[in-house]
Amino acid sequence: MSLAYIPRNDLVVIRVEVVNKIGLVAVPERSKEGQKFYVHAVGPKVEGLKVGDRVIFGGSPQGGEVSWIPGAKGLMLTRQENILVVIEEGAGEEEMES
């Protein structure tokens, strides 16, 4: 059985992709480095974000701004206001080369 996570209001479900792996084992990280974060689902009041956007967000589970979704491996829940940046792949590379 597959579950769908449908956030309410201005909430965003974020999928965590671990980048640092050795084979099938994820290398433990103490920070957000080594991880990529993607929008998995958005609530009806979220503007300017869509499923699949790669993002950087503020907050932490310890501070209460971000919550791990119980039983959903690699999914977190946060408010839209905690999304700091949407990363556009390839944007700005021409400027860096000159």
Side-chain angles (χ1 to χ4, degrees):
M1 177 172 88
S2 178
L3 298 176
Y5 296 94
I6 303 168
R8 307 269 321 251
N9 300 317
D10 68 339
L11 295 173
V12 179
V13 176
I14 298 173
R15 177 177 49 87
V16 180
E17 180 181 299
V18 178
V19 177
N20 294 335
K21 288 186 178 182
I22 299 175
L24 297 175
V25 178
V27 177
E29 296 288 335
R30 293 207 176 263
S31 69
K32 293 178 185 172
E33 292 181 29
Q35 299 175 341
K36 292 184 179 180
F37 303 94
Y38 295 92
V39 174
H40 182 77
V42 295
K45 293 186 178 180
V46 172
E47 296 178 4
L49 288 174
K50 63 184 179 309
V51 172
D53 281 347
R54 184 170 167 209
V55 297
I56 296 173
F57 65 94
S60 69
Q62 294 80 12
E65 297 93 2
V66 178
S67 301
W68 288 100
I69 298 176
K73 186 175 180 177
L75 294 181
M76 299 185 296
L77 186 66
T78 191
R79 296 202 172 279
Q80 180 178 5
E81 67 189 28
N82 293 327
I83 305 294
L84 305 175
V85 175
V86 175
I87 300 171
E88 292 185 13
E89 300 292 332
E93 289 180 3
E94 303 82 29
E95 296 155 7
M96 293 177 70
E97 292 175 1
S98 42

